[in-house]
Amino acid sequence: MNFIKPDRIERARWWYRRNAWLLFVFGMLSGVVLAIWGFWAGEKIYFEGENKLRLADAAYYILQMVSLNGFGPLNPEMPWQLNVARFLLPFVFFFTAIAQLFRLVGRNGIGIQRFLMRDHVIICGSGLLASELARQYRLGNQRIKVLFVSRENNVDGFAALRSLGIHLHMDDVCAANAWRNLPLKRVKAIYFLDDDSQRNTAGYAALCSVSEKMASSSNESVCPCFIHISEPALRRWTIELYESSAERDRSRQFQWFIFSALERSARELFLRHGPHSDKKIQSRNESSGFLVLGASTIAEQLLLQAALLGHYPESGKMKVTLIDEHAERIVRSLQARYPALDKDLPHQWKIEERELLPLIDLEFINARPDAIPIEHLGILPNKEKSFQVCFVCVDDPVKALSIVEMLQAQHQHVEPVHWPRIVVCLSDSTGTIEKMSQLSLNNSTIRWTLFDPLMFGCRLEFGEEILGRKSENDAQEIHRFFLQGNDFDWWALKESERESSRQAADHLKIKRFFPHADSDSLMSAEHSRWCAERLLAGWRYGSQKDFFHRTSPNLMRYEALSVSEREKNRSIVELALGTKN
């Protein structure tokens, strides 16, 4: 029976790894002090008589004790201090030497290989997100070397990561000493993907403190850094900190990018499976909408992405319904943080802004998502409201399976033409996918798709960094248009400017679903998207454009804009349709 708890063993191991050299110095000094004390206690034996020793001889014999060779001329009747010192000194010396040798070599020679890496990536974290990104790198087209750094030794899937050839290293990236032991030359990217956002920012700060000394000897950029921060408030505060003058000079060598894996996953979910992927919306310009069953963490982000990107040509406001036992609380909380989503428009909104609000037609139904009447699904032919997509957003695989079974039972009473697509937002759990596949085989008319938020939260494109190369190029092209073709440093811009261009680039993917729409309707959809982005960010209508007070005179309907302001959206539409020269 193991009477020592594993967490205590882990804390003891970490304490030793961080204080190994202090223990070595303390042990060696203790041995030397005991040896001097022993010679002083045996003064009559060693410094008197015919074979007396000089002080230099005593110092020489103390050094000999380190190599277990300190017995020679010593009298057998030596004091106890010398007996302790002659065994303590060699034990401390050889134990430290062997421990450092094992640390250098590491398990399976990884320690030496770590310092020989070139063109690799470093992934820091101990959660499923970090493990998934490391797996995607190794399974991609370009088998890039991956160094996985974790402060825990029992990360889920360690054996599977090691089988893929991923180099594992145990260290605390929040400490500056950890980065001195990692290969930072010619590294392609560094990811901070710990579940604790504060550890990610602390790790980046430790990297900056070490890289300041490296930058003095080398002027080349170290690598791009991707920092995962899930909390919106902490993300905004961190961005403002990094954009300050002192932090900008400090992190000039990094192409830092702060992101939220959950937000990226929800955006990818909407871009892939939103109502715009329905052929009826593309051809007939019908009203768009979708249904959300459940209120998991990705459901709220999905509603925000619909408000940001759900603007289609000639389709009106998107209709969204959330069905959950706590749907009202979630919607009210979302509307309190983002007033632009509230139907009950406050009086402080100006007339120009009221014509834009609310951004989406958001409704809620307080009911269990796995036991709702068919009339609430909005799929009957006589219903005015119809949904193109039904998103199942729950964290429990069993509950997700029961919802799919309920939808299958409801599906038997409805013609297939009126049934929306079903997208189940759930990680690939053992056994659940097979049961859902069996349900799909039993009913061939039901259409459902599995979306793994974990995989798409850190999805790689073209084997490159976590940012898609094509999306980044489109974002830079859009920003270059607003600068009238002038050159600019993309990573020297403010994060708000980069993110605005990225959202415009993401909406290009939606515009490409409407190749037969006229340019004026696409330009109107782009202006609606831009207004939604500004309103959700806290901007208001004003007679003059002011970045400090966040006011803009263009926060109005597309039809109320001047011709010159309308034409600013034409270049983005041409870029979406591939007609831009």
Side-chain angles (χ1 to χ4, degrees):
M1 182 179 295
N2 186 11
F3 294 97
I4 302 178
K5 294 183 179 181
D7 57 344
R8 295 182 179 178
I9 298 177
E10 197 71 21
R11 287 198 298 267
R13 179 184 297 179
W14 273 109
W15 186 86
Y16 169 74
R17 287 175 65 89
R18 302 188 66 174
N19 302 281
W21 288 106
L22 291 177
L23 291 176
F24 171 73
V25 173
F26 177 76
M28 296 298 291
L29 288 178
S30 300
V32 171
V33 171
L34 285 173
I36 295 174
W37 187 10
F39 278 116
W40 179 76
E43 182 180 1
K44 296 182 179 180
I45 301 176
Y46 300 110
F47 296 99
E48 293 182 3
E50 298 178 356
N51 298 324
K52 66 179 180 179
L53 298 176
R54 295 176 299 176
L55 293 178
D57 296 331
Y60 174 73
Y61 288 132
I62 292 176
L63 292 177
Q64 276 189 324
M65 290 181 185
V66 176
S67 60
L68 281 174
N69 193 22
F71 304 110
L74 297 180
N75 194 302
E77 300 178 355
M78 61 180 61
W80 66 269
Q81 295 89 340
L82 282 177
N83 280 319
V84 174
R86 68 178 186 175
F87 287 104
L88 177 62
L89 286 172
F91 172 77
V92 173
F93 179 80
F94 284 105
F95 178 82
T96 305
I98 294 174
Q100 293 303 316
L101 180 62
F102 275 104
R103 185 176 182 182
L104 176 63
V105 176
R107 183 178 297 180
N108 300 327
I110 292 177
I112 295 179
Q113 297 179 19
R114 192 171 67 240
F115 294 98
L116 301 178
M117 284 185 174
R118 292 294 184 272
D119 298 330
H120 58 286
V121 297
I122 299 177
I123 300 177
C124 309
S126 56
L128 296 176
L129 185 64
S131 302
E132 176 64 24
L133 180 61
R135 188 185 66 84
Q136 289 192 32
Y137 258 117
R138 293 301 296 168
L139 297 179
N141 295 330
Q142 301 178 6
R143 295 180 63 85
I144 302 175
K145 293 183 179 179
V146 178
L147 179 59
F148 191 92
V149 184
S150 174
R151 63 191 177 100
E152 299 179 3
N153 198 23
N154 56 348
V155 176
D156 296 336
F158 249 27
L161 295 178
R162 189 177 288 110
S163 64
L164 293 176
I166 297 174
H167 304 288
L168 306 178
H169 178 63
M170 183 178 174
D171 213 334
D172 188 5
V173 295
C174 297
N177 292 332
W179 292 104
R180 297 188 179 96
N181 299 326
L182 294 176
L184 296 179
K185 294 183 178 179
R186 296 183 61 182
V187 58
K188 292 179 66 67
I190 297 180
Y191 298 90
F192 298 89
L193 301 178
D194 200 282
D195 294 336
D196 187 357
S197 302
Q198 295 183 356
R199 288 192 56 83
N200 294 331
T201 56
Y204 178 73
L207 174 62
C208 290
S209 63
V210 174
S211 60
E212 287 178 353
K213 299 179 180 179
M214 297 175 53
S216 60
S217 59
S218 176
N219 294 327
E220 60 179 358
S221 178
V222 177
C223 63
C225 295
F226 301 92
I227 308 169
H228 165 62
I229 301 179
S230 57
E231 299 83 0
L234 180 59
R235 189 161 63 246
R236 289 193 297 267
W237 179 84
T238 306
I239 290 174
E240 293 177 358
L241 175 64
Y242 289 169
E243 287 181 346
S244 62
S245 58
E247 289 292 329
R248 182 180 292 271
D249 295 339
R250 177 181 178 182
S251 59
R252 188 181 297 275
Q253 55 193 315
F254 296 112
Q255 298 175 350
W256 59 267
F257 173 57
I258 297 176
F259 72 103
S260 170
L262 183 62
E263 181 180 334
R264 282 180 50 84
S265 180
R267 183 176 300 183
E268 193 69 23
L269 172 61
F270 185 82
L271 291 175
R272 283 175 169 263
H273 304 288
H276 51 270
S277 58
D278 192 282
K279 293 183 179 180
K280 295 180 181 179
I281 297 294
Q282 302 170 16
S283 58
R284 303 178 186 177
N285 295 328
E286 293 185 356
S287 60
S288 59
F290 63 89
L291 184 69
V292 181
L293 300 181
S296 63
T297 53
I298 197 174
E300 182 177 329
Q301 286 294 332
L302 180 60
L303 300 179
L304 285 177
Q305 295 305 318
L308 283 170
L309 302 175
H311 304 278
Y312 305 152
E314 300 180 359
S315 62
K317 295 185 184 299
M318 181 171 293
K319 301 175 182 179
V320 183
T321 301
L322 176 65
I323 301 180
D324 188 76
E325 297 171 330
H326 308 287
E328 182 178 4
R329 178 176 57 84
I330 295 174
V331 171
R332 297 305 182 195
S333 174
L334 196 63
Q335 292 174 345
R337 285 175 289 161
Y338 302 98
L341 301 178
D342 196 351
K343 289 184 178 180
D344 302 327
L345 302 179
H347 298 290
Q348 62 266 24
W349 293 107
K350 299 181 180 180
I351 298 178
E352 294 81 2
E353 299 167 331
R354 294 181 185 180
E355 296 176 347
L356 301 172
L357 303 177
L359 300 178
I360 56 176
D361 186 4
L362 181 58
E363 296 181 354
F364 60 87
I365 299 176
N366 288 323
R368 290 179 53 186
D370 55 347
I372 55 177
I374 190 172
E375 56 268 15
H376 287 166
L377 294 177
I379 56 178
L380 294 179
N382 57 355
K383 296 285 290 185
E384 296 181 358
K385 179 185 297 183
S386 61
F387 302 104
Q388 288 78 31
V389 193
C390 177
F391 293 100
V392 180
C393 301
V394 292
D395 296 326
D396 187 6
V398 178
K399 190 174 183 179
L401 183 60
S402 64
I403 293 176
V404 174
E405 291 177 344
M406 181 271 299
L407 293 176
Q408 184 190 25
Q410 300 281 19
H411 184 273
Q412 298 175 358
H413 307 286
V414 182
E415 296 180 6
V417 69
H418 299 294
W419 188 255
R421 291 179 295 110
I422 301 175
V423 181
V424 181
C425 306
L426 187 69
S427 298
D428 192 351
S429 304
T430 305
T432 305
I433 307 306
E434 290 76 4
K435 294 180 181 179
M436 289 184 180
S437 301
Q438 188 64 30
L439 289 175
S440 181
L441 292 175
N442 296 337
N443 192 345
S444 58
T445 58
I446 190 172
R447 299 176 299 166
W448 70 274
T449 307
L450 178 68
F451 181 86
D452 191 348
L454 179 63
M455 180 176 66
F456 286 93
C458 56
R459 188 172 64 91
L460 298 171
E461 296 183 11
F462 307 102
E464 293 297 328
E465 305 90 33
I466 205 166
L467 290 175
R469 175 177 294 180
K470 189 177 187 310
S471 299
E472 282 294 286
N473 291 340
D474 290 342
Q476 296 177 22
E477 186 69 19
I478 291 173
H479 188 78
R480 182 176 287 107
F481 162 75
F482 287 103
L483 294 180
Q484 300 179 353
N486 297 326
D487 294 333
F488 62 94
D489 186 359
W490 174 250
W491 293 101
L493 300 175
K494 291 185 177 181
E495 179 62 20
S496 57
E497 298 176 351
R498 293 198 298 263
E499 184 60 25
S500 178
S501 299
R502 291 189 185 110
Q503 292 184 19
D506 287 336
H507 202 260
L508 294 179
K509 304 174 184 178
I510 296 179
K511 294 185 180 71
R512 292 176 181 131
F513 280 93
F514 303 90
H516 302 295
D518 60 279
S519 59
D520 195 64
S521 61
L522 290 173
M523 292 163 59
S524 176
E526 169 59 26
H527 178 71
S528 299
R529 183 213 62 82
W530 178 84
C531 291
E533 173 200 332
R534 287 292 192 264
L535 290 172
L536 290 176
W539 284 65
R540 299 294 304 272
Y541 173 83
S543 58
Q544 295 181 352
K545 188 174 183 178
D546 189 344
F547 284 96
F548 182 77
H549 295 94
R550 295 190 177 186
T551 59
S552 174
N554 297 326
L555 284 175
M556 59 178 65
R557 292 184 301 108
Y558 175 76
E559 293 76 12
L561 292 174
S562 61
V563 177
S564 59
E565 291 296 333
R566 293 184 189 181
E567 289 298 320
K568 289 183 178 180
N569 300 311
R570 185 175 299 279
S571 180
I572 300 179
V573 172
E574 293 177 353
L575 182 63
L577 301 180
T579 59
K580 181 178 173 56
N581 186 358

